[in-house]
Amino acid sequence: MEKNKTTTDFLLEHASIQPVSFHMPGHKGAELYCRFGYGAFLDKLMDCDITEIPGADNLFQTEGILERTQRRYARLYGAERSYLLVNGTSGGILAAALASVPEGGTLIMARNCHKSVFNALTLGNLRPAYIYPEMLEEFGILGAVTAAEVERAIKEAPNASAVILPSPNYYGICSDIRAIAEVTRNYGKVLIVDQAHGAHLKWLGQERNGGRGPECAEDAGADVVINSIHKTLASFTQSAVLNLMSDRVDRYALEDKLQAVQSTSPSYLLMASLDISADLLETYGGDLMWQWNENLRYFYEEVKSILDIQVIENLESLDRSKINLDTSPLGITAAELERRLMKRGIFPELTTGNILMLMTGIGNQRRDFGRLLHALREIRAELGQCGKGERKTEAQGGRMPEKRRIYPVPKQKRRVRLEEAEGLICAASIIPYPPGIPLVCPGEKLKAEDIAYISQLRRAGEKVIGVNDEGRVTVGV
Ligand SMILES: Cc1ncc(COP(=O)(O)O)c(C=O)c1O
């Protein structure tokens, strides 16, 4: 850490190098707003940072300007109702889970769910029943959740109230929500889809926009869908939208939970940026999506001519807006490729083992893809002859969360040194970040191999949430 450098110093310095962003947020900087006539909002940013003055409506009892924005989203996604979120999809997940499952009840959840779902377990005193995603062995990453797996879990936990899973997952792999929704409907369960990474699917995958790809969960029959508009569309970080698609979740219970998990001072800057993102979609959505698809097509085509750069492609379940590069043929790790890209001012979203993920967004322009291709060509030349196909590290994100016995989540907790935790029951999730998928969850026993793996990540300087500064984890008494 550089001494004396402030957060503001860092941000201004970073902006001054005019970086190419292949990470969140999706707007990718001021240019998108300026190009489409929202520059005045950016110029007046501080002056637009207000509170609930007369005429400004109230997020938790909308009837004016905020209600209008919510209706715009409901129209855009075809929802019964849409809710603006200022605590990201994380807040929407908490509210949806708590509104769908009574205290002490059971939530069927994908084992690769985001940590907000695990937080919902603690807050609602909920019991988890896990569904396990498939593994894409070839790439060492997690794939889709099948409808058959959801049905298995429902049969094993028939009293569960709801099912929740992420689709797309962090790598852009989507589950067949249509088939899953049929199962949940047949068994009378609520289906909540964490579509944090797929707010754009409604438009980008459409043939009329020059695209192809998985359908969005709203069209496929989910009951509640939560979208991080900030991740791939055009709003500010932390802003998101929850779409209520059916009356299977009590609207008023949901609204009650939404106000409980969000700030009582919701930022008008975030909410206005959601309004702008909706306006962009309504007014220029077709063109923007067409351009995005064209840029992706250009990239996927051109990258083929670079020797040893391999992309994950042609999976029917893949949202191609997430570009996954497999670095194994280059003989370097994804982290090493990321370092070389960042030296050239290009910033990816995620590395896991040999997979480097570049997150494209509505604000990326053709020149960003051009710079990326140029950098990849340079790096390929720089590497010369390299160890073909050698895997340099274990694919961390690909460590399949294994099926484990679930014990009651401990109510009495203590902190012990990681090395002394073997055989103890985890009381707070241990989560390598990124990708933010828990390795050990509350109610699971810590094994020797977990401890060895977590220690290895920490030695390598990776962030592991759930292990504190003193190297301690939280377990049952
Ligand atoms: C799969 C998944 N779900 C939910 C979230 C939370 O979204 P947000 O950052 O909008 O709170 C994330 C964040 O990265 C995520 O990866």
Side-chain angles (χ1 to χ4, degrees), residues 8-39:
T8 320
D9 292 338
F10 173 84
L11 291 174
L12 291 174
E13 238 171 67
H14 181 69
S16 74
I17 65 167
Q18 298 187 323
V20 176
S21 163
F22 284 112
H23 54 77
M24 308 169 214
H27 58 65
K28 315 290 176 184
E31 191 173 329
L32 183 69
Y33 277 27
C34 295
R35 199 150 43 101
F36 288 95
Y38 311 105

PDB file of all heavy atoms in Angstrom, residues 8-39:
ATOM      1  N   THR A   8      -9.205   9.278  -3.001  1.00  0.00           N
ATOM      2  CA  THR A   8      -9.440  10.216  -4.108  1.00  0.00           C
ATOM      3  C   THR A   8      -8.214  10.286  -5.018  1.00  0.00           C
ATOM      4  O   THR A   8      -8.347  10.299  -6.256  1.00  0.00           O
ATOM      5  CB  THR A   8      -9.755  11.626  -3.543  1.00  0.00           C
ATOM      6  OG1 THR A   8     -10.576  11.472  -2.410  1.00  0.00           O
ATOM      7  CG2 THR A   8     -10.424  12.494  -4.570  1.00  0.00           C
ATOM      8  N   ASP A   9      -7.014  10.328  -4.409  1.00  0.00           N
ATOM      9  CA  ASP A   9      -5.787  10.325  -5.223  1.00  0.00           C
ATOM     10  C   ASP A   9      -5.795   9.133  -6.173  1.00  0.00           C
ATOM     11  O   ASP A   9      -5.530   9.243  -7.360  1.00  0.00           O
ATOM     12  CB  ASP A   9      -4.528  10.174  -4.344  1.00  0.00           C
ATOM     13  CG  ASP A   9      -4.276  11.390  -3.481  1.00  0.00           C
ATOM     14  OD1 ASP A   9      -4.786  12.469  -3.838  1.00  0.00           O
ATOM     15  OD2 ASP A   9      -3.589  11.248  -2.453  1.00  0.00           O
ATOM     16  N   PHE A  10      -6.114   7.974  -5.578  1.00  0.00           N
ATOM     17  CA  PHE A  10      -6.092   6.752  -6.379  1.00  0.00           C
ATOM     18  C   PHE A  10      -7.054   6.848  -7.553  1.00  0.00           C
ATOM     19  O   PHE A  10      -6.709   6.552  -8.703  1.00  0.00           O
ATOM     20  CB  PHE A  10      -6.426   5.524  -5.513  1.00  0.00           C
ATOM     21  CG  PHE A  10      -6.566   4.281  -6.334  1.00  0.00           C
ATOM     22  CD1 PHE A  10      -5.449   3.536  -6.693  1.00  0.00           C
ATOM     23  CD2 PHE A  10      -7.811   3.870  -6.813  1.00  0.00           C
ATOM     24  CE1 PHE A  10      -5.563   2.407  -7.506  1.00  0.00           C
ATOM     25  CE2 PHE A  10      -7.938   2.753  -7.628  1.00  0.00           C
ATOM     26  CZ  PHE A  10      -6.808   2.017  -7.959  1.00  0.00           C
ATOM     27  N   LEU A  11      -8.285   7.285  -7.249  1.00  0.00           N
ATOM     28  CA  LEU A  11      -9.317   7.321  -8.296  1.00  0.00           C
ATOM     29  C   LEU A  11      -8.938   8.292  -9.412  1.00  0.00           C
ATOM     30  O   LEU A  11      -9.080   7.982 -10.602  1.00  0.00           O
ATOM     31  CB  LEU A  11     -10.675   7.710  -7.696  1.00  0.00           C
ATOM     32  CG  LEU A  11     -11.300   6.657  -6.767  1.00  0.00           C
ATOM     33  CD1 LEU A  11     -12.557   7.211  -6.111  1.00  0.00           C
ATOM     34  CD2 LEU A  11     -11.629   5.376  -7.529  1.00  0.00           C
ATOM     35  N   LEU A  12      -8.445   9.449  -9.017  1.00  0.00           N
ATOM     36  CA  LEU A  12      -8.101  10.453 -10.035  1.00  0.00           C
ATOM     37  C   LEU A  12      -6.919   9.984 -10.879  1.00  0.00           C
ATOM     38  O   LEU A  12      -6.894  10.154 -12.099  1.00  0.00           O
ATOM     39  CB  LEU A  12      -7.811  11.800  -9.372  1.00  0.00           C
ATOM     40  CG  LEU A  12      -9.051  12.473  -8.750  1.00  0.00           C
ATOM     41  CD1 LEU A  12      -8.675  13.734  -7.990  1.00  0.00           C
ATOM     42  CD2 LEU A  12     -10.104  12.786  -9.818  1.00  0.00           C
ATOM     43  N   GLU A  13      -5.947   9.378 -10.200  1.00  0.00           N
ATOM     44  CA  GLU A  13      -4.781   8.855 -10.928  1.00  0.00           C
ATOM     45  C   GLU A  13      -5.212   7.776 -11.923  1.00  0.00           C
ATOM     46  O   GLU A  13      -4.784   7.763 -13.074  1.00  0.00           O
ATOM     47  CB  GLU A  13      -3.830   8.216  -9.920  1.00  0.00           C
ATOM     48  CG  GLU A  13      -2.444   8.813  -9.914  1.00  0.00           C
ATOM     49  CD  GLU A  13      -1.676   8.263  -8.734  1.00  0.00           C
ATOM     50  OE1 GLU A  13      -1.383   7.054  -8.725  1.00  0.00           O
ATOM     51  OE2 GLU A  13      -1.400   9.057  -7.812  1.00  0.00           O
ATOM     52  N   HIS A  14      -6.091   6.878 -11.443  1.00  0.00           N
ATOM     53  CA  HIS A  14      -6.554   5.786 -12.309  1.00  0.00           C
ATOM     54  C   HIS A  14      -7.295   6.356 -13.521  1.00  0.00           C
ATOM     55  O   HIS A  14      -7.052   5.954 -14.659  1.00  0.00           O
ATOM     56  CB  HIS A  14      -7.446   4.838 -11.515  1.00  0.00           C
ATOM     57  CG  HIS A  14      -7.937   3.672 -12.322  1.00  0.00           C
ATOM     58  ND1 HIS A  14      -7.091   2.671 -12.762  1.00  0.00           N
ATOM     59  CD2 HIS A  14      -9.173   3.356 -12.798  1.00  0.00           C
ATOM     60  CE1 HIS A  14      -7.792   1.798 -13.475  1.00  0.00           C
ATOM     61  NE2 HIS A  14      -9.056   2.192 -13.509  1.00  0.00           N
ATOM     62  N   ALA A  15      -8.168   7.335 -13.259  1.00  0.00           N
ATOM     63  CA  ALA A  15      -8.934   7.923 -14.369  1.00  0.00           C
ATOM     64  C   ALA A  15      -8.006   8.603 -15.365  1.00  0.00           C
ATOM     65  O   ALA A  15      -8.268   8.608 -16.577  1.00  0.00           O
ATOM     66  CB  ALA A  15      -9.959   8.917 -13.823  1.00  0.00           C
ATOM     67  N   SER A  16      -6.901   9.155 -14.865  1.00  0.00           N
ATOM     68  CA  SER A  16      -6.025   9.942 -15.745  1.00  0.00           C
ATOM     69  C   SER A  16      -5.292   9.077 -16.770  1.00  0.00           C
ATOM     70  O   SER A  16      -4.833   9.566 -17.793  1.00  0.00           O
ATOM     71  CB  SER A  16      -5.015  10.752 -14.922  1.00  0.00           C
ATOM     72  OG  SER A  16      -4.031   9.876 -14.422  1.00  0.00           O
ATOM     73  N   ILE A  17      -5.181   7.760 -16.495  1.00  0.00           N
ATOM     74  CA  ILE A  17      -4.490   6.918 -17.486  1.00  0.00           C
ATOM     75  C   ILE A  17      -5.455   6.453 -18.582  1.00  0.00           C
ATOM     76  O   ILE A  17      -5.081   5.694 -19.465  1.00  0.00           O
ATOM     77  CB  ILE A  17      -3.784   5.690 -16.843  1.00  0.00           C
ATOM     78  CG1 ILE A  17      -4.828   4.728 -16.226  1.00  0.00           C
ATOM     79  CG2 ILE A  17      -2.744   6.112 -15.819  1.00  0.00           C
ATOM     80  CD1 ILE A  17      -4.243   3.369 -15.870  1.00  0.00           C
ATOM     81  N   GLN A  18      -6.708   6.891 -18.499  1.00  0.00           N
ATOM     82  CA  GLN A  18      -7.745   6.485 -19.454  1.00  0.00           C
ATOM     83  C   GLN A  18      -7.758   4.967 -19.654  1.00  0.00           C
ATOM     84  O   GLN A  18      -7.481   4.458 -20.749  1.00  0.00           O
ATOM     85  CB  GLN A  18      -7.543   7.207 -20.779  1.00  0.00           C
ATOM     86  CG  GLN A  18      -7.682   8.705 -20.583  1.00  0.00           C
ATOM     87  CD  GLN A  18      -7.654   9.466 -21.883  1.00  0.00           C
ATOM     88  OE1 GLN A  18      -6.929   9.116 -22.810  1.00  0.00           O
ATOM     89  NE2 GLN A  18      -8.432  10.511 -21.941  1.00  0.00           N
ATOM     90  N   PRO A  19      -8.047   4.276 -18.560  1.00  0.00           N
ATOM     91  CA  PRO A  19      -8.006   2.810 -18.619  1.00  0.00           C
ATOM     92  C   PRO A  19      -9.122   2.236 -19.492  1.00  0.00           C
ATOM     93  O   PRO A  19     -10.138   2.894 -19.702  1.00  0.00           O
ATOM     94  CB  PRO A  19      -8.239   2.416 -17.154  1.00  0.00           C
ATOM     95  CG  PRO A  19      -9.033   3.551 -16.589  1.00  0.00           C
ATOM     96  CD  PRO A  19      -8.554   4.791 -17.288  1.00  0.00           C
ATOM     97  N   VAL A  20      -8.886   1.028 -19.968  1.00  0.00           N
ATOM     98  CA  VAL A  20      -9.963   0.306 -20.651  1.00  0.00           C
ATOM     99  C   VAL A  20     -10.572  -0.632 -19.616  1.00  0.00           C
ATOM    100  O   VAL A  20      -9.874  -1.466 -19.039  1.00  0.00           O
ATOM    101  CB  VAL A  20      -9.425  -0.516 -21.838  1.00  0.00           C
ATOM    102  CG1 VAL A  20     -10.555  -1.330 -22.469  1.00  0.00           C
ATOM    103  CG2 VAL A  20      -8.791   0.401 -22.857  1.00  0.00           C
ATOM    104  N   SER A  21     -11.873  -0.475 -19.371  1.00  0.00           N
ATOM    105  CA  SER A  21     -12.528  -1.250 -18.314  1.00  0.00           C
ATOM    106  C   SER A  21     -13.252  -2.467 -18.885  1.00  0.00           C
ATOM    107  O   SER A  21     -14.198  -2.329 -19.664  1.00  0.00           O
ATOM    108  CB  SER A  21     -13.526  -0.358 -17.567  1.00  0.00           C
ATOM    109  OG  SER A  21     -14.417  -1.171 -16.827  1.00  0.00           O
ATOM    110  N   PHE A  22     -12.779  -3.641 -18.444  1.00  0.00           N
ATOM    111  CA  PHE A  22     -13.540  -4.869 -18.686  1.00  0.00           C
ATOM    112  C   PHE A  22     -13.952  -5.446 -17.336  1.00  0.00           C
ATOM    113  O   PHE A  22     -13.809  -6.623 -17.067  1.00  0.00           O
ATOM    114  CB  PHE A  22     -12.727  -5.865 -19.523  1.00  0.00           C
ATOM    115  CG  PHE A  22     -12.679  -5.481 -20.981  1.00  0.00           C
ATOM    116  CD1 PHE A  22     -11.490  -5.065 -21.555  1.00  0.00           C
ATOM    117  CD2 PHE A  22     -13.813  -5.519 -21.769  1.00  0.00           C
ATOM    118  CE1 PHE A  22     -11.442  -4.701 -22.896  1.00  0.00           C
ATOM    119  CE2 PHE A  22     -13.781  -5.162 -23.112  1.00  0.00           C
ATOM    120  CZ  PHE A  22     -12.593  -4.746 -23.672  1.00  0.00           C
ATOM    121  N   HIS A  23     -14.375  -4.524 -16.473  1.00  0.00           N
ATOM    122  CA  HIS A  23     -14.885  -4.903 -15.155  1.00  0.00           C
ATOM    123  C   HIS A  23     -16.128  -4.072 -14.908  1.00  0.00           C
ATOM    124  O   HIS A  23     -16.498  -3.220 -15.704  1.00  0.00           O
ATOM    125  CB  HIS A  23     -13.813  -4.666 -14.076  1.00  0.00           C
ATOM    126  CG  HIS A  23     -13.266  -3.270 -14.062  1.00  0.00           C
ATOM    127  ND1 HIS A  23     -13.948  -2.206 -13.520  1.00  0.00           N
ATOM    128  CD2 HIS A  23     -12.104  -2.754 -14.557  1.00  0.00           C
ATOM    129  CE1 HIS A  23     -13.242  -1.109 -13.662  1.00  0.00           C
ATOM    130  NE2 HIS A  23     -12.110  -1.400 -14.303  1.00  0.00           N
ATOM    131  N   MET A  24     -16.768  -4.304 -13.741  1.00  0.00           N
ATOM    132  CA  MET A  24     -17.928  -3.476 -13.402  1.00  0.00           C
ATOM    133  C   MET A  24     -17.462  -2.056 -13.120  1.00  0.00           C
ATOM    134  O   MET A  24     -16.322  -1.885 -12.706  1.00  0.00           O
ATOM    135  CB  MET A  24     -18.602  -3.989 -12.130  1.00  0.00           C
ATOM    136  CG  MET A  24     -18.948  -5.441 -12.116  1.00  0.00           C
ATOM    137  SD  MET A  24     -19.424  -5.826 -10.410  1.00  0.00           S
ATOM    138  CE  MET A  24     -18.831  -7.473 -10.268  1.00  0.00           C
ATOM    139  N   PRO A  25     -18.308  -1.083 -13.217  1.00  0.00           N
ATOM    140  CA  PRO A  25     -19.670  -1.070 -13.723  1.00  0.00           C
ATOM    141  C   PRO A  25     -19.748  -1.089 -15.245  1.00  0.00           C
ATOM    142  O   PRO A  25     -18.732  -0.895 -15.927  1.00  0.00           O
ATOM    143  CB  PRO A  25     -20.224   0.245 -13.161  1.00  0.00           C
ATOM    144  CG  PRO A  25     -19.031   1.123 -12.993  1.00  0.00           C
ATOM    145  CD  PRO A  25     -17.879   0.219 -12.668  1.00  0.00           C
ATOM    146  N   GLY A  26     -20.982  -1.287 -15.738  1.00  0.00           N
ATOM    147  CA  GLY A  26     -21.171  -1.464 -17.178  1.00  0.00           C
ATOM    148  C   GLY A  26     -21.111  -0.185 -17.990  1.00  0.00           C
ATOM    149  O   GLY A  26     -20.914  -0.237 -19.204  1.00  0.00           O
ATOM    150  N   HIS A  27     -21.280   0.974 -17.329  1.00  0.00           N
ATOM    151  CA  HIS A  27     -21.296   2.227 -18.119  1.00  0.00           C
ATOM    152  C   HIS A  27     -19.928   2.575 -18.680  1.00  0.00           C
ATOM    153  O   HIS A  27     -19.815   3.240 -19.692  1.00  0.00           O
ATOM    154  CB  HIS A  27     -21.873   3.386 -17.300  1.00  0.00           C
ATOM    155  CG  HIS A  27     -21.134   3.667 -16.018  1.00  0.00           C
ATOM    156  ND1 HIS A  27     -19.840   4.106 -15.965  1.00  0.00           N
ATOM    157  CD2 HIS A  27     -21.559   3.552 -14.725  1.00  0.00           C
ATOM    158  CE1 HIS A  27     -19.490   4.279 -14.710  1.00  0.00           C
ATOM    159  NE2 HIS A  27     -20.508   3.932 -13.928  1.00  0.00           N
ATOM    160  N   LYS A  28     -18.851   2.159 -17.974  1.00  0.00           N
ATOM    161  CA  LYS A  28     -17.459   2.317 -18.415  1.00  0.00           C
ATOM    162  C   LYS A  28     -17.004   3.771 -18.483  1.00  0.00           C
ATOM    163  O   LYS A  28     -16.128   4.113 -19.282  1.00  0.00           O
ATOM    164  CB  LYS A  28     -17.205   1.625 -19.770  1.00  0.00           C
ATOM    165  CG  LYS A  28     -17.773   0.239 -19.902  1.00  0.00           C
ATOM    166  CD  LYS A  28     -17.054  -0.791 -19.057  1.00  0.00           C
ATOM    167  CE  LYS A  28     -17.708  -2.141 -19.139  1.00  0.00           C
ATOM    168  NZ  LYS A  28     -17.109  -3.155 -18.281  1.00  0.00           N
ATOM    169  N   GLY A  29     -17.641   4.622 -17.700  1.00  0.00           N
ATOM    170  CA  GLY A  29     -17.161   6.010 -17.651  1.00  0.00           C
ATOM    171  C   GLY A  29     -18.156   6.995 -18.227  1.00  0.00           C
ATOM    172  O   GLY A  29     -19.239   6.631 -18.691  1.00  0.00           O
ATOM    173  N   ALA A  30     -17.736   8.275 -18.185  1.00  0.00           N
ATOM    174  CA  ALA A  30     -18.657   9.387 -18.485  1.00  0.00           C
ATOM    175  C   ALA A  30     -19.126   9.425 -19.936  1.00  0.00           C
ATOM    176  O   ALA A  30     -20.190   9.965 -20.243  1.00  0.00           O
ATOM    177  CB  ALA A  30     -17.981  10.706 -18.138  1.00  0.00           C
ATOM    178  N   GLU A  31     -18.351   8.824 -20.831  1.00  0.00           N
ATOM    179  CA  GLU A  31     -18.610   9.037 -22.255  1.00  0.00           C
ATOM    180  C   GLU A  31     -20.026   8.640 -22.683  1.00  0.00           C
ATOM    181  O   GLU A  31     -20.675   9.338 -23.470  1.00  0.00           O
ATOM    182  CB  GLU A  31     -17.574   8.279 -23.079  1.00  0.00           C
ATOM    183  CG  GLU A  31     -17.641   8.682 -24.534  1.00  0.00           C
ATOM    184  CD  GLU A  31     -16.517   8.082 -25.351  1.00  0.00           C
ATOM    185  OE1 GLU A  31     -15.412   7.871 -24.804  1.00  0.00           O
ATOM    186  OE2 GLU A  31     -16.764   7.825 -26.543  1.00  0.00           O
ATOM    187  N   LEU A  32     -20.507   7.522 -22.132  1.00  0.00           N
ATOM    188  CA  LEU A  32     -21.836   7.037 -22.536  1.00  0.00           C
ATOM    189  C   LEU A  32     -22.913   8.088 -22.230  1.00  0.00           C
ATOM    190  O   LEU A  32     -23.748   8.401 -23.081  1.00  0.00           O
ATOM    191  CB  LEU A  32     -22.143   5.727 -21.804  1.00  0.00           C
ATOM    192  CG  LEU A  32     -23.465   5.046 -22.151  1.00  0.00           C
ATOM    193  CD1 LEU A  32     -23.459   4.487 -23.564  1.00  0.00           C
ATOM    194  CD2 LEU A  32     -23.787   3.924 -21.162  1.00  0.00           C
ATOM    195  N   TYR A  33     -22.864   8.625 -21.010  1.00  0.00           N
ATOM    196  CA  TYR A  33     -23.865   9.628 -20.627  1.00  0.00           C
ATOM    197  C   TYR A  33     -23.731  10.877 -21.516  1.00  0.00           C
ATOM    198  O   TYR A  33     -24.733  11.447 -21.950  1.00  0.00           O
ATOM    199  CB  TYR A  33     -23.705  10.039 -19.160  1.00  0.00           C
ATOM    200  CG  TYR A  33     -24.357   9.098 -18.157  1.00  0.00           C
ATOM    201  CD1 TYR A  33     -24.544   7.751 -18.445  1.00  0.00           C
ATOM    202  CD2 TYR A  33     -24.788   9.559 -16.915  1.00  0.00           C
ATOM    203  CE1 TYR A  33     -25.126   6.894 -17.521  1.00  0.00           C
ATOM    204  CE2 TYR A  33     -25.376   8.711 -15.986  1.00  0.00           C
ATOM    205  CZ  TYR A  33     -25.536   7.375 -16.295  1.00  0.00           C
ATOM    206  OH  TYR A  33     -26.123   6.526 -15.379  1.00  0.00           O
ATOM    207  N   CYS A  34     -22.499  11.291 -21.751  1.00  0.00           N
ATOM    208  CA  CYS A  34     -22.290  12.528 -22.531  1.00  0.00           C
ATOM    209  C   CYS A  34     -22.789  12.324 -23.959  1.00  0.00           C
ATOM    210  O   CYS A  34     -23.449  13.188 -24.536  1.00  0.00           O
ATOM    211  CB  CYS A  34     -20.821  12.919 -22.524  1.00  0.00           C
ATOM    212  SG  CYS A  34     -20.281  13.349 -20.859  1.00  0.00           S
ATOM    213  N   ARG A  35     -22.491  11.148 -24.522  1.00  0.00           N
ATOM    214  CA  ARG A  35     -22.858  10.866 -25.910  1.00  0.00           C
ATOM    215  C   ARG A  35     -24.373  10.912 -26.115  1.00  0.00           C
ATOM    216  O   ARG A  35     -24.863  11.277 -27.168  1.00  0.00           O
ATOM    217  CB  ARG A  35     -22.319   9.488 -26.287  1.00  0.00           C
ATOM    218  CG  ARG A  35     -22.189   9.199 -27.759  1.00  0.00           C
ATOM    219  CD  ARG A  35     -21.056   8.223 -28.063  1.00  0.00           C
ATOM    220  NE  ARG A  35     -20.973   7.083 -27.165  1.00  0.00           N
ATOM    221  CZ  ARG A  35     -21.423   5.861 -27.445  1.00  0.00           C
ATOM    222  NH1 ARG A  35     -22.009   5.622 -28.593  1.00  0.00           N
ATOM    223  NH2 ARG A  35     -21.254   4.883 -26.598  1.00  0.00           N
ATOM    224  N   PHE A  36     -25.134  10.514 -25.095  1.00  0.00           N
ATOM    225  CA  PHE A  36     -26.589  10.410 -25.282  1.00  0.00           C
ATOM    226  C   PHE A  36     -27.373  11.519 -24.567  1.00  0.00           C
ATOM    227  O   PHE A  36     -28.569  11.394 -24.338  1.00  0.00           O
ATOM    228  CB  PHE A  36     -27.073   9.025 -24.844  1.00  0.00           C
ATOM    229  CG  PHE A  36     -26.645   7.960 -25.809  1.00  0.00           C
ATOM    230  CD1 PHE A  36     -25.493   7.226 -25.589  1.00  0.00           C
ATOM    231  CD2 PHE A  36     -27.364   7.726 -26.977  1.00  0.00           C
ATOM    232  CE1 PHE A  36     -25.083   6.262 -26.492  1.00  0.00           C
ATOM    233  CE2 PHE A  36     -26.950   6.761 -27.894  1.00  0.00           C
ATOM    234  CZ  PHE A  36     -25.801   6.030 -27.661  1.00  0.00           C
ATOM    235  N   GLY A  37     -26.687  12.592 -24.227  1.00  0.00           N
ATOM    236  CA  GLY A  37     -27.400  13.779 -23.738  1.00  0.00           C
ATOM    237  C   GLY A  37     -27.660  13.841 -22.246  1.00  0.00           C
ATOM    238  O   GLY A  37     -28.529  14.595 -21.807  1.00  0.00           O
ATOM    239  N   TYR A  38     -26.930  13.049 -21.445  1.00  0.00           N
ATOM    240  CA  TYR A  38     -27.113  13.141 -19.993  1.00  0.00           C
ATOM    241  C   TYR A  38     -25.919  13.826 -19.323  1.00  0.00           C
ATOM    242  O   TYR A  38     -25.693  13.680 -18.122  1.00  0.00           O
ATOM    243  CB  TYR A  38     -27.327  11.758 -19.371  1.00  0.00           C
ATOM    244  CG  TYR A  38     -28.357  10.931 -20.086  1.00  0.00           C
ATOM    245  CD1 TYR A  38     -27.979   9.875 -20.918  1.00  0.00           C
ATOM    246  CD2 TYR A  38     -29.715  11.232 -19.959  1.00  0.00           C
ATOM    247  CE1 TYR A  38     -28.928   9.140 -21.600  1.00  0.00           C
ATOM    248  CE2 TYR A  38     -30.662  10.498 -20.643  1.00  0.00           C
ATOM    249  CZ  TYR A  38     -30.259   9.444 -21.461  1.00  0.00           C
ATOM    250  OH  TYR A  38     -31.193   8.722 -22.132  1.00  0.00           O
ATOM    251  N   GLY A  39     -25.144  14.555 -20.102  1.00  0.00           N
ATOM    252  CA  GLY A  39     -23.939  15.239 -19.580  1.00  0.00           C
ATOM    253  C   GLY A  39     -24.292  16.251 -18.499  1.00  0.00           C
ATOM    254  O   GLY A  39     -23.542  16.403 -17.523  1.00  0.00           O
TER     255      GLY A  39
END
